[in-house]
Amino acid sequence: MGDYELTQGKQKEFAEVQMTEMIKDAQLYGQAMSDQDRDIYMASAGNESVAHQESFKALQKQISEMMLVDVENAEKLKEDYPEAYKEMQDEKRKLEEKANIGGMDKVKHDTLGIHKHSAQKKLDKIAANQEKLKKKRTNDRLNLFHDTRSEVEAHIATDKKEIGETVERKKKAEKPEEAAFYQKKLDTISYVKGKTTIDYLNTAYNAKDQNIRIIMLQDAFIAKSKIRKLITKTDPKTNQMIVTGEQMAHYEASSLYRDVARFITKFEDLNSPSTEMLQAPEFRKIDQAKIDEMLKYADAMHVMETGAHADGEYAKDDSGNYIQVKAGGLINQFVHVPAPKEDQEAAFNLLLGKINETYESLLRVEQAKPEFFNAPTTESVME
């Protein structure tokens, strides 16, 4: 199956989901359509042989009326059901023209203002229904996030208990390496920065088996890689930093370097490993070549962000003092010597090449497992 066929099949499924949602929510403002009529319309839309049949025209009229209210889904469905979308646009334009009629046009066509009043009344009703729909979907999505957080909290609690028990079993069995491995996983799932749903989701995501390899890579990278830093202290009189020395320090643990580890890992390699694989010595080993690769990409990111290499020199003035730069009104940063222009270009090309490689990897996964990419609704995105 080619990319085009895959996209077409997926788009058809998206359209079916959006159409179903629009028809279901239309009940909120007095519109209704049976599942059978919905299926008949979707199967017949675009078929010239049925386009003029009264029964089909009636169904399309209902759909276009729903689109007048449900602007969100109308925009998502306009490519798949252009006739209904055009009918909705024509109706909206006519209503707005009638509601705004005035001057000689009113004298000629609507002396008593009956059409103007009727059109304005329908537009007001559409606006009121749009507000109803907006409130409903806002509440639905808030409730969905609340429910999802509750489910994630329950999963985290269960996983913490099970992993904690595994750590104790490994310790009793005198398997310190395996105990340390599961302790790392326990530490990961126990860490929740705040109290937002996103924090809980990130915690659950980072604790999945397929990410342990990435966490281990990050830890190995931080332990073995170095970055040039200045040792400073604050002058109490001027509240400015004074340099007391220079050192090569470890990279600090951060989401940036976790993401670098993900960045250099192909999507195909993120399959959840088996228990046997988790326990295998080769799984726990991080090759120096992988650390060097991560250092190369982390340095390129540093060059793109700051213009200088991570282990680059700091700029000094004619007197030999480190040059400081103001940030937020305070002198609290020091200036790196910029990387040569060719190094900056090389950093850009290195990252661009990895982005293209990652994109191709993503396409291969999409071809192999298209169901992972079918997320037309808020619910499926959360899943």
Side-chain angles (χ1 to χ4, degrees):
M1 181 184 289
D3 289 350
Y4 179 74
E5 293 174 289
L6 182 64
T7 304
Q8 287 288 88
K10 192 163 38 173
Q11 179 58 39
K12 183 175 183 296
E13 184 179 341
F14 287 0
E16 289 174 357
V17 172
Q18 301 302 338
M19 182 68 80
T20 300
E21 181 186 73
M22 183 174 73
I23 292 170
K24 179 182 175 184
D25 286 348
Q27 296 176 31
L28 179 71
Y29 49 89
Q31 289 274 9
M33 179 180 280
S34 68
D35 292 347
Q36 183 179 3
D37 284 344
R38 176 202 65 200
D39 293 342
I40 289 172
Y41 176 75
M42 289 194 295
S44 304
N47 187 338
E48 286 295 326
S49 64
V50 299
H52 302 292
Q53 293 179 12
E54 290 302 318
S55 57
F56 176 79
K57 288 164 67 174
L59 291 177
Q60 182 153 289
K61 178 66 175 175
Q62 275 188 276
I63 295 296
S64 67
E65 290 285 335
M66 292 176 192
M67 285 183 169
L68 275 169
V69 176
D70 195 343
V71 179
E72 180 181 338
N73 275 319
E75 287 300 313
K76 295 173 184 176
L77 291 167
K78 66 180 181 181
E79 299 296 332
D80 293 271
Y81 303 99
E83 296 86 0
Y85 187 79
K86 182 179 182 301
E87 188 170 326
M88 175 273 290
Q89 286 185 309
D90 291 344
E91 176 66 11
K92 184 180 179 183
R93 186 180 65 255
K94 288 176 184 176
L95 288 171
E96 289 173 344
E97 286 175 354
K98 288 179 180 178
N100 294 322
I101 197 170
M104 289 305 296
D105 284 333
K106 184 177 178 181
V107 172
K108 290 178 182 178
H109 306 292
D110 193 20
T111 307
L112 300 177
I114 295 173
H115 297 309
K116 177 183 175 76
H117 176 72
S118 177
Q120 188 59 57
K121 186 176 179 181
K122 185 167 183 178
L123 287 172
D124 290 344
K125 185 177 180 180
I126 289 169
N129 288 336
Q130 286 175 338
E131 189 61 29
K132 283 183 187 177
L133 190 58
K134 180 182 176 181
K135 286 181 179 178
K136 176 191 181 296
R137 289 189 176 157
T138 299
N139 289 334
D140 286 349
R141 286 161 186 167
L142 286 174
N143 290 336
L144 175 63
F145 273 89
H146 175 76
D147 293 344
T148 301
R149 173 174 169 166
S150 298
E151 291 172 10
V152 170
E153 286 176 331
H155 282 304
I156 289 175
T158 301
D159 288 348
K160 282 172 67 175
K161 181 175 181 294
E162 291 177 355
I163 298 168
E165 290 171 352
T166 301
V167 171
E168 294 305 314
R169 283 200 306 273
K170 297 298 182 183
K171 286 180 179 177
K172 288 179 181 178
E174 297 183 352
K175 295 181 179 180
E177 282 193 6
E178 292 180 21
F181 175 84
Y182 283 99
Q183 183 63 52
K184 169 59 67 177
K185 188 169 183 179
L186 181 60
D187 293 343
T188 301
I189 202 168
S190 298
Y191 177 64
V192 181
K193 288 187 295 185
K195 295 183 178 180
T196 68
T197 302
I198 296 302
D199 288 324
Y200 279 101
L201 292 176
N202 281 337
T203 299
Y205 176 70
N206 291 334
K208 287 183 179 294
D209 284 343
Q210 64 261 36
N211 291 302
I212 288 297
R213 182 76 169 161
I214 289 175
I215 292 166
M216 291 169 66
L217 173 57
Q218 175 193 279
D219 290 346
F221 167 77
I222 291 167
K224 295 186 180 182
S225 304
K226 300 292 180 67
I227 184 170
R228 187 179 297 276
K229 289 190 174 182
L230 297 178
I231 304 169
T232 62
K233 69 177 183 179
T234 302
D235 185 338
K237 294 181 180 179
T238 62
N239 201 32
Q240 295 179 4
M241 286 194 296
I242 302 171
V243 176
T244 61
E246 195 171 327
Q247 66 176 356
M248 291 301 291
H250 293 301
Y251 272 94
E252 295 176 355
S254 72
S255 59
L256 171 62
Y257 298 115
R258 179 200 63 203
D259 292 340
V260 174
R262 286 186 177 138
F263 186 55
I264 67 172
T265 304
K266 291 182 181 179
F267 283 99
E268 292 100 322
D269 297 334
L270 290 181
N271 289 325
S272 182
S274 65
T275 302
E276 292 76 15
M277 186 178 177
L278 290 174
Q279 294 173 351
E282 60 269 20
F283 182 80
R284 296 196 296 274
K285 181 182 177 184
I286 300 295
D287 295 331
Q288 183 63 42
K290 200 69 175 174
I291 297 170
D292 292 341
E293 182 188 11
M294 187 168 176
L295 178 60
K296 181 173 64 173
Y297 283 99
D299 181 65
M301 288 183 174
H302 199 278
V303 170
M304 293 303 298
E305 183 180 0
T306 68
H309 288 292
D311 62 349
E313 299 289 338
Y314 284 87
K316 295 180 181 179
D317 60 21
D318 294 337
S319 302
N321 299 314
Y322 289 97
I323 298 174
Q324 296 173 306
V325 63
K326 284 188 176 183
L330 297 174
I331 299 177
N332 61 358
Q333 293 181 3
F334 294 90
V335 180
H336 276 287
V337 175
K341 183 179 179 181
E342 55 268 26
D343 286 8
Q344 295 187 34
E345 290 178 351
F348 174 81
N349 290 328
L350 179 71
L351 295 175
L352 183 62
K354 178 57 70 173
I355 289 169
N356 289 335
E357 182 184 317
T358 303
Y359 174 69
E360 290 168 3
S361 171
L362 185 61
L363 286 180
R364 288 194 295 271
V365 174
E366 183 181 23
Q367 288 284 340
K369 298 181 178 179
E371 66 275 10
F372 289 171
F373 296 82
N374 290 339
T377 65
T378 306
E379 290 84 351
S380 53
V381 170
M382 294 296 292
E383 288 174 8

